[in-house]
């Protein structure tokens, strides 16, 4: 593996370009620093542009080196690990046009930036890193770059006051990327060598330890525990075959991946039952619900985190069980948010983040961040690209484990972390180097070499396409997104065919609009005079809601419809100042709820604010709407009894009002919408 360069000067320049791009990829997080304003999610979208640019350079020069049959690149490309990664990327790309939101699948969500493009870039980066890893000097330079990047990230989070700011809005990712760099240091320089230099071990320990202290990410400890077990198994004679026989190494990784995901799936109800059993009589007496689970602090502590992760996996699995076709072909990358909309009411606890005395003590944090990830890479992969895609994905780790014991350690570490966490675009550089360190380059036959060299031009063309993509991204996102975040006044247009202010074929238009709506809601709520700010931006609200209706009518997007209803709920609740400017939105509110309930009959939580507004403005209309919806609701739904209580109130029947409202509270209505202690006492006559 220690080769000297015997290529032409042009080839050497290409190697330098590849090495430079790989080193720069380690510092992609810099483009996500707070002082770089680029996109709705600047700490992810900024690095995306840099990653695409560096990956384009990698693809151009790697493709040329493959086409010219540079032995380093041909050997790297013939590796099963590299081929599995590229096969997974190609398979994902083939499926993308058939997913509900193809552009989102290609791009990944704006919030974590991992989609089809990222998969291609990962495969290219591993191919390039596997080639330069064969040259001692280049390998050392790459190791130094990765180590410096990890230390820089740690320093950004550790410096008191953080004057430069930090990349991303949460520190847990620091632990994952520093663990990857520590693994990279320990794995080299030769895959087959078990021992490593004490200095490398010391540096790896510092990087990993500091990363944990900064991030407090417990998945690091789980990964280290798994690797400790692996080392112990290697020392036991009758078990060491699991570590020393290639086929058993590969099988071990696959079994661990499936077993850990299965364990996470079943953990939720078990933890829930344990928490409920710990509830004592008299605990949290102000909680209005009679369900024991609403008095259990499930989300607290390490088990609470696993409980949350478990329900993330459960909604993906349950969604696939309801739609078996999804299990075969997937819904594309970033589809977790859609599955969430179908199963949001399946999870116990309150819907709103801010605790109130009458609401459940349990809160599922996904309710505030469902546009993210399921925190389980295997479940997410099956949901994204189906079972066949997941087999290819697992094949990458099996190939790593098959190659060597070091490959097994790396694959196992990633699998364990991936059972509770997920990749972010920033991580590509470190993960690519770590994966490449496990690759054993192999000399293909002359026929295979000729076949592989034919892939070179295709790789180079992909690089050119990525360069063009970066230019288009800078123009479209820079002009459209940035200007629209100012929300300039727009002319009212309620025609679903023509309304709106964003049209793009190459970027996730729907996701941009949904996120812009969140930005607008935050702007209104945080202003000095929210009702006035809402009045001034009412045409923007109308325009966005019209666009969201179009996505539902045209694409059947549940996510767009619920975003529209959620936005109206929070904005119109600001009071009468909004009623005039948003009169049209109030009128269409009931019809939009009706459309939602036709598809998702359990998502009734949008009805109470609508009926509350009508009850204060148009009594007869409120009664008509209550009579319209009540027959469709289950008797176990607290919203049904809330609507009946409001109907009784409109007719002046205080006794029936209190009877139905009390029943609604017993069933958990205060978990859907805040209810004061005074109102609970009045309703229950206390």
């Amino acid at each position: 593996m220690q080769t000297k360069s015997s290529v032409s000067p042009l080839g050497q320049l290409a190697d330098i370009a590849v090495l430079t791009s790989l080193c720069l990829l380690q510092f992609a997080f810099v483009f996500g620093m707070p002082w770089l304003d680029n996109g709705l999610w600047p700490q992810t979208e900024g690095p995306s542009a840099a990653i695409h640019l560096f990956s384009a350079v990698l693809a151009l020069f790697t493709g040329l080196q493959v086409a010219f049959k540079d032995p380093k690149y041909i050997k790297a490309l013939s590796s099963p690990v590299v081929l599995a990664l590229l096969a997974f990327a190609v398979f994902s790309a083939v499926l993308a046009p058939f997913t509900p939101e193809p552009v989102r699948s290609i791009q990944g969500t704006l919030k974590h930036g991992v989609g089809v493009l990222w998969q291609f870039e990962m495969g290219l980066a591993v191919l390039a890193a596997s080639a330069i890893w064969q040259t001692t000097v280049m390998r050392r330079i790459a190791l130094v770059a990765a180590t410096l990047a990890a230390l820089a990230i740690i320093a950004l989070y550790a410096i008191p006051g953080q004057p430069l700011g930090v990349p991303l809005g949460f520190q847990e990712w620091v632990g994952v990327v520093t663990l990857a760099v520590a693994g990279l240091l320990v794995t080299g320089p030769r895959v087959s060598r078990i021992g490593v230099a004490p200095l490398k071990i010391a540096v790896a320990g510092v990087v990993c330890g500091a990363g944990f202290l900064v991030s407090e990410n417990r998945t690091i400890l789980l990964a280290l525990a798994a690797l400790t077990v692996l080392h112990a198994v290697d020392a036991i004679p009758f078990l060491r075959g699991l570590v020393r026989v290639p086929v058993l190494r590969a099988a071990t990784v696959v079994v661990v991946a499936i077993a850990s995901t299965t364990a996470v799936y079943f953990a939720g109800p078990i933890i829930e039952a344990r928490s409920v059993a710990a509830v004592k009589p008299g605990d949290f007496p102000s909680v209005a619900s009679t369900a024991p689970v609403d008095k259990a602090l499930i989300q607290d502590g390490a088990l609470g985190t696993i409980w949350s992760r478990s329900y993330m996996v459960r909604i993906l699995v349950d969604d696939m069980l309801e739609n078996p076709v999804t299990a075969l072909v997937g819904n594309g990358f970033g589809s977790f948010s859609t599955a969430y909309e179908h199963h949001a009411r399946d999870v116990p606890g309150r819907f709103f983040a801010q605790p109130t005395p009458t609401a459940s003590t349990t809160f599922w944090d996904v309710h505030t961040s469902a546009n993210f990830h399921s925190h389980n890479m295997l479940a997410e992969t099956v949901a994204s690209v189906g079972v066949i895609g997941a087999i290819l994905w697992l094949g990458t780790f099996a190939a790593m484990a098959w190659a060597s014991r070091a490959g097994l350690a790396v694959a196992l570490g990633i699998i364990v972390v991936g059972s509770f966490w997920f990749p972010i675009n920033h991580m590509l550089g470190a993960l690519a180097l770590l994966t490449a360190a496990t690759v054993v380059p192999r000399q293909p036959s002359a026929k295979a070499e000729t076949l592989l060299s034919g892939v070179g031009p295709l790789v180079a063309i992909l690089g050119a396409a990525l360069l063009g993509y970066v230019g288009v991204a800078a123009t479209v996102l820079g002009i459209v997104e940035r200007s629209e975040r100012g929300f300039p006044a727009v002319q009212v247009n309620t025609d679903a065919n023509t309304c709106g202010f964003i049209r793009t074929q190459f970027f996730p238009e729907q996701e941009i609009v949904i996120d812009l709506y969140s930005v607008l809601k935050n702007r209104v709520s945080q202003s000095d005079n929210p009702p006035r700010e809402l009045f001034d931006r009412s045409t923007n609200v109308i325009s966005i809601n019209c666009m969201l209706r179009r996505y539902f009518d045209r694409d059947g997007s549940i996510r767009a419809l619920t975003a529209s209803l959620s936005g109206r709920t929070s904005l119109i609740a600001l009071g009468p100042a909004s009623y005039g400017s948003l009169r049209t939105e109030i009128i269409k509110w009931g019809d939009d709820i009706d459309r939602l309930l036709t598809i998702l009959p359990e998502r009734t939580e949008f009805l109470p604010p609508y009926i509350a507004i009508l009850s204060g403005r148009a009594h007869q209309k409120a009664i008509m709407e209550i009579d319209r919806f009540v027959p469709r609701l289950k008797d176990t739904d607290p919203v049904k009894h809330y609507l009946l209580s409001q109907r009784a109130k409109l007719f002046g029947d205080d006794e029936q009002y209190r009877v139905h409202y009390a029943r609604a509270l017993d069933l958990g209505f205060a978990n859907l919408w805040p209810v004061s202690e005074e109102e609970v006492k009045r309703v229950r006559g206390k």
Side-chain angles (χ1 to χ4, degrees), residues 408-595:
L408 169 61
V410 171
L412 185 62
I414 295 175
I415 286 295
V416 170
V417 171
S419 297
F420 301 96
W421 234 76
F422 54 93
I424 297 174
N425 60 350
H426 295 48
M427 298 177 181
L428 186 141
L431 289 177
L433 286 182
L434 178 61
T435 303
T438 71
V439 170
V440 178
R442 45 191 285 182
Q443 181 62 50
S445 65
K447 185 176 181 180
E449 182 176 344
T450 301
L451 181 63
L452 290 172
S453 65
V455 177
L458 297 177
V459 175
I461 290 171
L462 176 61
L466 280 170
L467 280 175
Y469 173 85
V470 171
V472 173
T475 301
V476 174
L477 297 184
I479 295 175
V480 176
E481 267 191 18
R482 290 169 65 87
S483 64
E484 289 305 334
R485 275 181 287 162
F487 299 105
V490 295
Q491 185 175 359
V492 174
N493 180 2
T494 57
D495 185 344
N497 296 314
T498 59
C499 66
F501 44 78
I502 291 179
R503 291 289 190 280
T504 172
Q505 299 297 318
F506 300 102
F507 301 96
E509 176 186 314
Q510 181 181 151
E511 189 177 357
I512 291 172
V513 172
I514 290 174
D515 284 352
L516 279 173
Y517 205 1
S518 297
V519 172
L520 177 57
K521 288 188 293 183
N522 289 336
R523 174 172 175 169
V524 170
S525 63
Q526 295 173 9
S527 67
D528 294 334
N529 188 344
R532 180 64 193 179
E533 183 69 19
L534 175 60
F535 181 84
D536 292 341
R537 305 299 164 195
S538 58
T539 56
N540 301 106
V541 174
I542 293 170
S543 180
I544 289 176
N545 278 317
C546 181
M547 296 176 73
L548 294 174
R549 286 194 196 93
R550 179 171 68 245
Y551 302 141
F552 176 76
D553 292 337
R554 184 188 66 192
D555 308 321
S557 174
I558 293 296
R559 198 162 57 100
L561 186 57
T562 56
S564 174
L565 291 169
S566 176
R568 261 177 286 179
T569 297
S570 62
L571 293 174
I572 294 176
L574 290 174
S578 66
Y579 296 168
S581 58
L582 298 181
R583 181 174 179 273
T584 302
E585 296 307 311
I586 296 177
I587 292 173
K588 292 184 177 180
W589 200 350
D591 290 338
D592 287 343
I593 293 175
D594 182 72
R595 298 159 94 187

Side-chain angles (χ1 to χ4, degrees), residues 222-282:
L222 288 175
L224 293 176
L227 296 177
T228 301
V229 171
L230 180 64
H231 183 72
V233 168
D234 192 26
I236 301 174
F238 62 90
L239 290 178
R240 64 177 50 150
L242 293 173
V243 178
R244 301 191 180 185
V245 178
V247 67
L248 293 180
R249 289 199 299 262
T252 297
V253 170
V254 174
V255 169
V256 169
I258 296 173
S260 61
T261 299
T262 302
V264 171
Y265 176 86
F266 286 107
I270 295 174
I271 294 171
E272 196 172 298
R274 177 179 178 274
S275 299
V276 170
V279 175
K280 300 176 182 178

